[in-house]
Amino acid sequence: MTDRILILDFGSQVTQLIARRLREAGVYCEIFPFSADAARIKAFDPKGIILSGSPHSVTTEDGPRAPQYVWESKLPVLGICYGEQAMCAQLGGKVEGSDHREFGRAELLVQKEVPLFDGVWVKGGSYQVWMSHGDRVVSIPAGFEVVATSGGAPFAAIANVAEKRYAVQFHPEVAHTPDGAKLLSNFVHKICGCKGDWTMAAFRDAEIAKIRAQVGKGRVICGLSGGVDSAVAAVLIHQAIGDQLTCIFVDHGLLRAAEADQVVALFRDHYNIPLVHRDASDLFLGQLDGVSDPETKRKTIGRLFIEVFEEEAKKLGGADFLAQGTLYPDVIESVSFTGGPSVTIKSHHNVGGLPERMRMKLVEPLRELFKDEVRVLGRELGLPEKMIRRHPFPGPGLAIRIPGAVSKEKCDILRKADTIYLEEIDKAGLYEKIWQAFAVLLPVRTVGVMGDGRTYDFVCALRAVTSTDGMTADFYPFEPAFLGRVATRIVNEVKGINRVVYDYTSKPPGTIEWE
């Protein structure tokens, strides 16, 4: 069995980044809530445990703690930020609130070389790290020693080398700690002894075997959206069970240009996968008519999608299993901080839950993967590169990129502008450098002069962001000449738009969608 590491989550917004760094190092890992019991941890059989950060304070009575089994197991443990504080509090050290907080970049001074720093940091060296803490450790447990300090944290890194227990006050998982990924690699490889043999090819073979075992001779229905997640899930399941799978593609009229035709061609012609294509665009646009509240739009689209999907599933005679392109971040986000299941299951369009009346068991072959890993798997499965590299496109589609009421006319205008924008990004060789780019049709009309006539048309906003985790985003710094070229094309070629603006805002952790 592949070596694995367990990450216990205390609620940090960047816990997922720890998992990404470990998988980049070739080590499989999963995230459990801090409240996971001993039986679950034993069943996972990790070679080491990492304790995440947290927005909570270990000095309060309700501050979360690691399960006692973590310390009884004698497994290697790495505590990160709050994880260090929890380790100290539980093993006999002391943590207090402090007036001297550290948030942001800090300089770490290495006091002693230990296996965690091997080949990365040397004694006496000063290194940049990213801090984010208010409380501070004031005494450490017996058997530990200080191995690094910072201006605001005299116990910035501590270690009990004999028992393979390490803790750091900073966040090695974030990009702002330049050597952080190497430290995490040292922990899993040199301290925990993981081989680092987790590959996507091995995952594919193992998942195909799991799908066959789960489904047996049953029938599976998979909902396609046009995005990479559902496409990869469908192709993987088809490789496992062949024509026991039928895909249903609900076209709600809110897709990007030519997207419906591409989906049908890929699955019917290229893969010969049984496919039902339902054009329900008139139904969706009809019920969205006059609806301007973004949350109402989402819920309307989600409800209609399930209703249409159910209609088509009944025509097929039903099925035993429903396949979804659920990813690992969806799994993590569907669990509350205390470990209880969310009241809703991620639907195919991220806008609600599946009704109990559907009575199908779920097949979610991607639920252990991150977005970038899904793309790697897609290449393993031979999907066309055009599909794999496609920017994320949320289930509600153009509806959330048209603030205010949605209409077919607005969708057609926006599709044309969006196509031009993405064409120019691709021609400039920038598509792979940008995590997500799209056009937005603002609910604003302006007076303009084009040639000898006056116009009264919509304003189009352009957005492009870079992101490594899909949780935070920063605007892409286009050259003015590029933006000028795109704006000129859109105004000249798209009837209904006479002005183009660029969105120079960044996004903190949270949604990257427009509404």
PDB file of all heavy atoms in Angstrom, residues 76-99:
ATOM      1  N   PRO A  76       5.528   9.956  14.064  1.00  0.00           N
ATOM      2  CA  PRO A  76       6.100  11.290  13.898  1.00  0.00           C
ATOM      3  C   PRO A  76       4.988  12.325  13.777  1.00  0.00           C
ATOM      4  O   PRO A  76       3.961  12.071  13.125  1.00  0.00           O
ATOM      5  CB  PRO A  76       6.891  11.171  12.588  1.00  0.00           C
ATOM      6  CG  PRO A  76       7.173   9.715  12.436  1.00  0.00           C
ATOM      7  CD  PRO A  76       5.985   9.018  13.007  1.00  0.00           C
ATOM      8  N   VAL A  77       5.189  13.488  14.395  1.00  0.00           N
ATOM      9  CA  VAL A  77       4.174  14.546  14.370  1.00  0.00           C
ATOM     10  C   VAL A  77       4.844  15.874  14.044  1.00  0.00           C
ATOM     11  O   VAL A  77       5.918  16.184  14.579  1.00  0.00           O
ATOM     12  CB  VAL A  77       3.443  14.671  15.725  1.00  0.00           C
ATOM     13  CG1 VAL A  77       2.365  15.761  15.658  1.00  0.00           C
ATOM     14  CG2 VAL A  77       2.811  13.335  16.125  1.00  0.00           C
ATOM     15  N   LEU A  78       4.199  16.650  13.176  1.00  0.00           N
ATOM     16  CA  LEU A  78       4.634  18.017  12.876  1.00  0.00           C
ATOM     17  C   LEU A  78       3.481  18.959  13.189  1.00  0.00           C
ATOM     18  O   LEU A  78       2.391  18.829  12.614  1.00  0.00           O
ATOM     19  CB  LEU A  78       5.038  18.161  11.407  1.00  0.00           C
ATOM     20  CG  LEU A  78       5.310  19.595  10.925  1.00  0.00           C
ATOM     21  CD1 LEU A  78       6.501  20.209  11.663  1.00  0.00           C
ATOM     22  CD2 LEU A  78       5.537  19.633   9.415  1.00  0.00           C
ATOM     23  N   GLY A  79       3.680  19.893  14.105  1.00  0.00           N
ATOM     24  CA  GLY A  79       2.671  20.895  14.416  1.00  0.00           C
ATOM     25  C   GLY A  79       2.980  22.192  13.703  1.00  0.00           C
ATOM     26  O   GLY A  79       4.121  22.656  13.718  1.00  0.00           O
ATOM     27  N   ILE A  80       1.978  22.778  13.072  1.00  0.00           N
ATOM     28  CA  ILE A  80       2.152  24.014  12.308  1.00  0.00           C
ATOM     29  C   ILE A  80       1.308  25.120  12.947  1.00  0.00           C
ATOM     30  O   ILE A  80       0.084  24.982  13.067  1.00  0.00           O
ATOM     31  CB  ILE A  80       1.746  23.820  10.835  1.00  0.00           C
ATOM     32  CG1 ILE A  80       2.695  22.836  10.142  1.00  0.00           C
ATOM     33  CG2 ILE A  80       1.713  25.157  10.102  1.00  0.00           C
ATOM     34  CD1 ILE A  80       2.296  22.499   8.714  1.00  0.00           C
ATOM     35  N   CYS A  81       1.957  26.203  13.378  1.00  0.00           N
ATOM     36  CA  CYS A  81       1.282  27.369  13.961  1.00  0.00           C
ATOM     37  C   CYS A  81       0.425  26.953  15.157  1.00  0.00           C
ATOM     38  O   CYS A  81       0.958  26.610  16.199  1.00  0.00           O
ATOM     39  CB  CYS A  81       0.475  28.103  12.893  1.00  0.00           C
ATOM     40  SG  CYS A  81      -0.008  29.778  13.382  1.00  0.00           S
ATOM     41  N   TYR A  82      -0.892  26.939  15.014  1.00  0.00           N
ATOM     42  CA  TYR A  82      -1.736  26.472  16.119  1.00  0.00           C
ATOM     43  C   TYR A  82      -1.354  25.048  16.507  1.00  0.00           C
ATOM     44  O   TYR A  82      -1.430  24.665  17.680  1.00  0.00           O
ATOM     45  CB  TYR A  82      -3.203  26.527  15.710  1.00  0.00           C
ATOM     46  CG  TYR A  82      -4.169  26.136  16.820  1.00  0.00           C
ATOM     47  CD1 TYR A  82      -4.723  27.096  17.658  1.00  0.00           C
ATOM     48  CD2 TYR A  82      -4.509  24.798  17.016  1.00  0.00           C
ATOM     49  CE1 TYR A  82      -5.598  26.734  18.680  1.00  0.00           C
ATOM     50  CE2 TYR A  82      -5.383  24.432  18.024  1.00  0.00           C
ATOM     51  CZ  TYR A  82      -5.922  25.398  18.854  1.00  0.00           C
ATOM     52  OH  TYR A  82      -6.785  25.046  19.866  1.00  0.00           O
ATOM     53  N   GLY A  83      -0.937  24.258  15.510  1.00  0.00           N
ATOM     54  CA  GLY A  83      -0.524  22.890  15.791  1.00  0.00           C
ATOM     55  C   GLY A  83       0.634  22.831  16.763  1.00  0.00           C
ATOM     56  O   GLY A  83       0.717  21.918  17.605  1.00  0.00           O
ATOM     57  N   GLU A  84       1.561  23.797  16.677  1.00  0.00           N
ATOM     58  CA  GLU A  84       2.651  23.862  17.645  1.00  0.00           C
ATOM     59  C   GLU A  84       2.101  24.190  19.033  1.00  0.00           C
ATOM     60  O   GLU A  84       2.496  23.588  20.035  1.00  0.00           O
ATOM     61  CB  GLU A  84       3.676  24.922  17.256  1.00  0.00           C
ATOM     62  CG  GLU A  84       4.814  25.008  18.273  1.00  0.00           C
ATOM     63  CD  GLU A  84       5.728  26.216  18.075  1.00  0.00           C
ATOM     64  OE1 GLU A  84       5.198  27.341  17.932  1.00  0.00           O
ATOM     65  OE2 GLU A  84       6.947  26.021  18.067  1.00  0.00           O
ATOM     66  N   GLN A  85       1.189  25.131  19.082  1.00  0.00           N
ATOM     67  CA  GLN A  85       0.632  25.549  20.369  1.00  0.00           C
ATOM     68  C   GLN A  85      -0.164  24.426  21.022  1.00  0.00           C
ATOM     69  O   GLN A  85      -0.086  24.207  22.232  1.00  0.00           O
ATOM     70  CB  GLN A  85      -0.220  26.798  20.166  1.00  0.00           C
ATOM     71  CG  GLN A  85       0.597  27.990  19.683  1.00  0.00           C
ATOM     72  CD  GLN A  85      -0.258  29.155  19.243  1.00  0.00           C
ATOM     73  OE1 GLN A  85      -1.480  29.120  19.382  1.00  0.00           O
ATOM     74  NE2 GLN A  85       0.359  30.185  18.696  1.00  0.00           N
ATOM     75  N   ALA A  86      -0.923  23.668  20.192  1.00  0.00           N
ATOM     76  CA  ALA A  86      -1.678  22.538  20.723  1.00  0.00           C
ATOM     77  C   ALA A  86      -0.727  21.468  21.251  1.00  0.00           C
ATOM     78  O   ALA A  86      -0.954  20.867  22.318  1.00  0.00           O
ATOM     79  CB  ALA A  86      -2.594  21.958  19.651  1.00  0.00           C
ATOM     80  N   MET A  87       0.354  21.226  20.512  1.00  0.00           N
ATOM     81  CA  MET A  87       1.339  20.237  20.939  1.00  0.00           C
ATOM     82  C   MET A  87       1.933  20.622  22.291  1.00  0.00           C
ATOM     83  O   MET A  87       2.041  19.795  23.207  1.00  0.00           O
ATOM     84  CB  MET A  87       2.445  20.103  19.883  1.00  0.00           C
ATOM     85  CG  MET A  87       3.489  19.045  20.214  1.00  0.00           C
ATOM     86  SD  MET A  87       4.843  18.985  18.997  1.00  0.00           S
ATOM     87  CE  MET A  87       3.990  18.358  17.562  1.00  0.00           C
ATOM     88  N   CYS A  88       2.315  21.875  22.413  1.00  0.00           N
ATOM     89  CA  CYS A  88       2.905  22.329  23.676  1.00  0.00           C
ATOM     90  C   CYS A  88       1.905  22.241  24.823  1.00  0.00           C
ATOM     91  O   CYS A  88       2.224  21.760  25.916  1.00  0.00           O
ATOM     92  CB  CYS A  88       3.428  23.754  23.524  1.00  0.00           C
ATOM     93  SG  CYS A  88       4.911  23.896  22.506  1.00  0.00           S
ATOM     94  N   ALA A  89       0.676  22.704  24.593  1.00  0.00           N
ATOM     95  CA  ALA A  89      -0.337  22.704  25.645  1.00  0.00           C
ATOM     96  C   ALA A  89      -0.670  21.295  26.101  1.00  0.00           C
ATOM     97  O   ALA A  89      -0.922  21.053  27.288  1.00  0.00           O
ATOM     98  CB  ALA A  89      -1.595  23.414  25.146  1.00  0.00           C
ATOM     99  N   GLN A  90      -0.655  20.333  25.178  1.00  0.00           N
ATOM    100  CA  GLN A  90      -1.060  18.970  25.515  1.00  0.00           C
ATOM    101  C   GLN A  90       0.077  18.131  26.096  1.00  0.00           C
ATOM    102  O   GLN A  90      -0.174  17.128  26.751  1.00  0.00           O
ATOM    103  CB  GLN A  90      -1.641  18.274  24.279  1.00  0.00           C
ATOM    104  CG  GLN A  90      -2.998  18.831  23.867  1.00  0.00           C
ATOM    105  CD  GLN A  90      -3.600  18.081  22.700  1.00  0.00           C
ATOM    106  OE1 GLN A  90      -3.561  18.543  21.567  1.00  0.00           O
ATOM    107  NE2 GLN A  90      -4.184  16.919  22.972  1.00  0.00           N
ATOM    108  N   LEU A  91       1.319  18.543  25.844  1.00  0.00           N
ATOM    109  CA  LEU A  91       2.454  17.732  26.292  1.00  0.00           C
ATOM    110  C   LEU A  91       3.198  18.340  27.479  1.00  0.00           C
ATOM    111  O   LEU A  91       4.286  17.874  27.827  1.00  0.00           O
ATOM    112  CB  LEU A  91       3.414  17.500  25.125  1.00  0.00           C
ATOM    113  CG  LEU A  91       2.841  16.698  23.943  1.00  0.00           C
ATOM    114  CD1 LEU A  91       3.901  16.513  22.870  1.00  0.00           C
ATOM    115  CD2 LEU A  91       2.296  15.350  24.401  1.00  0.00           C
ATOM    116  N   GLY A  92       2.645  19.389  28.080  1.00  0.00           N
ATOM    117  CA  GLY A  92       3.259  19.918  29.299  1.00  0.00           C
ATOM    118  C   GLY A  92       3.920  21.270  29.163  1.00  0.00           C
ATOM    119  O   GLY A  92       4.501  21.782  30.123  1.00  0.00           O
ATOM    120  N   GLY A  93       3.850  21.891  27.995  1.00  0.00           N
ATOM    121  CA  GLY A  93       4.367  23.242  27.825  1.00  0.00           C
ATOM    122  C   GLY A  93       3.313  24.272  28.198  1.00  0.00           C
ATOM    123  O   GLY A  93       2.295  23.945  28.828  1.00  0.00           O
ATOM    124  N   LYS A  94       3.518  25.509  27.802  1.00  0.00           N
ATOM    125  CA  LYS A  94       2.570  26.561  28.163  1.00  0.00           C
ATOM    126  C   LYS A  94       2.446  27.579  27.032  1.00  0.00           C
ATOM    127  O   LYS A  94       3.433  27.962  26.411  1.00  0.00           O
ATOM    128  CB  LYS A  94       3.030  27.273  29.450  1.00  0.00           C
ATOM    129  CG  LYS A  94       1.999  28.254  30.007  1.00  0.00           C
ATOM    130  CD  LYS A  94       2.455  28.837  31.338  1.00  0.00           C
ATOM    131  CE  LYS A  94       1.404  29.782  31.906  1.00  0.00           C
ATOM    132  NZ  LYS A  94       1.845  30.381  33.195  1.00  0.00           N
ATOM    133  N   VAL A  95       1.210  28.000  26.795  1.00  0.00           N
ATOM    134  CA  VAL A  95       0.905  28.986  25.753  1.00  0.00           C
ATOM    135  C   VAL A  95       0.115  30.120  26.391  1.00  0.00           C
ATOM    136  O   VAL A  95      -0.778  29.886  27.201  1.00  0.00           O
ATOM    137  CB  VAL A  95       0.082  28.357  24.608  1.00  0.00           C
ATOM    138  CG1 VAL A  95      -0.205  29.393  23.524  1.00  0.00           C
ATOM    139  CG2 VAL A  95       0.805  27.157  24.017  1.00  0.00           C
ATOM    140  N   GLU A  96       0.461  31.358  26.037  1.00  0.00           N
ATOM    141  CA  GLU A  96      -0.250  32.522  26.564  1.00  0.00           C
ATOM    142  C   GLU A  96      -0.627  33.469  25.439  1.00  0.00           C
ATOM    143  O   GLU A  96      -0.008  33.462  24.365  1.00  0.00           O
ATOM    144  CB  GLU A  96       0.635  33.279  27.573  1.00  0.00           C
ATOM    145  CG  GLU A  96       0.941  32.522  28.842  1.00  0.00           C
ATOM    146  CD  GLU A  96       1.809  33.324  29.791  1.00  0.00           C
ATOM    147  OE1 GLU A  96       2.340  34.384  29.348  1.00  0.00           O
ATOM    148  OE2 GLU A  96       1.974  32.913  30.953  1.00  0.00           O
ATOM    149  N   GLY A  97      -1.621  34.306  25.717  1.00  0.00           N
ATOM    150  CA  GLY A  97      -1.916  35.391  24.801  1.00  0.00           C
ATOM    151  C   GLY A  97      -0.790  36.402  24.842  1.00  0.00           C
ATOM    152  O   GLY A  97      -0.052  36.485  25.826  1.00  0.00           O
ATOM    153  N   SER A  98      -0.629  37.162  23.763  1.00  0.00           N
ATOM    154  CA  SER A  98       0.509  38.080  23.704  1.00  0.00           C
ATOM    155  C   SER A  98       0.103  39.393  23.052  1.00  0.00           C
ATOM    156  O   SER A  98      -0.750  39.426  22.163  1.00  0.00           O
ATOM    157  CB  SER A  98       1.655  37.439  22.911  1.00  0.00           C
ATOM    158  OG  SER A  98       2.684  38.364  22.681  1.00  0.00           O
ATOM    159  N   ASP A  99       0.727  40.477  23.528  1.00  0.00           N
ATOM    160  CA  ASP A  99       0.521  41.775  22.879  1.00  0.00           C
ATOM    161  C   ASP A  99       1.392  41.916  21.644  1.00  0.00           C
ATOM    162  O   ASP A  99       1.205  42.815  20.834  1.00  0.00           O
ATOM    163  CB  ASP A  99       0.863  42.910  23.863  1.00  0.00           C
ATOM    164  CG  ASP A  99      -0.124  42.972  25.015  1.00  0.00           C
ATOM    165  OD1 ASP A  99      -1.293  42.563  24.807  1.00  0.00           O
ATOM    166  OD2 ASP A  99       0.284  43.404  26.105  1.00  0.00           O
TER     167      ASP A  99
END
